[in-house]
Amino acid sequence: APLVWPAQASQFSGFPLEAHPSQAAAFFFALMRFSCLVTLVAAEQSQWTCDGCTAGVAIRYQECALEHGNPCQELNPEGLMTSGQGKKKDQACCMRKEQHDACMTCALKDDSHGTGGTVNGGKVNKCYYREAECLAGDKKKEADKEWGKAGGEGMKSAGYGF
């Protein structure tokens, strides 16, 4: 028995009012394959989010870099570096390096467009790989607030006699 489509569906899908069940199934599976392909492409483009960019990630990257140099360098079967296809020096460390690179990119992203510090769905750590610099900057901001207090009180507390 032929499959009967509602009138509204036939207007948008291109199917006639009566379609053979195998045609409907073929259309359905083609649509499913397309949606899976789109999902895979989107997932590959944003493998790393900006979440989890902590000092621990930086330390694990540094340990790998100390041991392997560039852990993503391809090696040929004899264990020599090659520019073509080969086996990576260390796959786990290569993934740590890729995460570190993504975190560095996230930390440098400009938030002037007002996303609230989120990129690829993750919270951006603007101080990734430069925590000491950020801490020094916070202390300087606090000192600047004290310095400019009315009546010179900030300058008196800093040792300047007024």
Side-chain angles (χ1 to χ4, degrees):
L3 180 65
V4 178
W5 292 78
Q8 291 83 11
S10 67
Q11 293 171 358
F12 298 109
S13 66
F15 278 97
L17 286 177
E18 292 185 6
H20 195 273
S22 64
Q23 289 175 325
F27 176 74
F28 174 74
F29 286 116
L31 186 63
M32 291 302 294
R33 281 192 296 253
F34 177 74
S35 64
C36 288
L37 177 66
V38 169
T39 302
L40 287 173
V41 169
E44 187 173 321
Q45 287 179 348
S46 62
Q47 179 180 4
W48 301 110
T49 67
C50 293
D51 264 346
C53 294
T54 63
V57 171
I59 289 169
R60 286 189 296 277
Y61 160 71
Q62 289 174 351
E63 290 168 348
C64 286
L66 178 67
E67 185 175 344
H68 300 286
N70 179 3
C72 298
Q73 177 65 52
E74 302 279 340
L75 302 176
N76 65 17
E78 290 81 36
L80 303 172
M81 289 186 215
T82 180
S83 60
Q85 287 286 69
K87 183 181 176 195
K88 295 196 184 320
K89 281 185 183 178
D90 189 286
Q91 183 65 39
C93 281
C94 182
M95 290 180 70
R96 288 183 185 142
K97 179 188 183 307
E98 289 173 355
Q99 184 179 16
H100 168 74
D101 292 345
C103 287
M104 291 296 288
T105 301
C106 288
L108 297 175
K109 292 262 186 204
D110 179 23
D111 190 33
S112 61
H113 51 278
T115 61
T118 62
V119 177
N120 290 344
K123 183 78 174 131
V124 176
N125 177 3
K126 289 295 198 182
C127 292
Y128 178 77
Y129 217 61
R130 54 185 201 98
E131 285 83 4
E133 179 184 336
C134 286
L135 287 174
D138 289 345
K139 287 181 182 177
K140 184 179 180 328
K141 286 178 189 172
E142 289 299 317
D144 288 347
K145 286 179 189 174
E146 287 293 317
W147 187 265
K149 282 188 175 176
E153 293 298 318
M155 293 179 79
K156 283 182 187 176
S157 67
Y160 294 93
F162 272 84

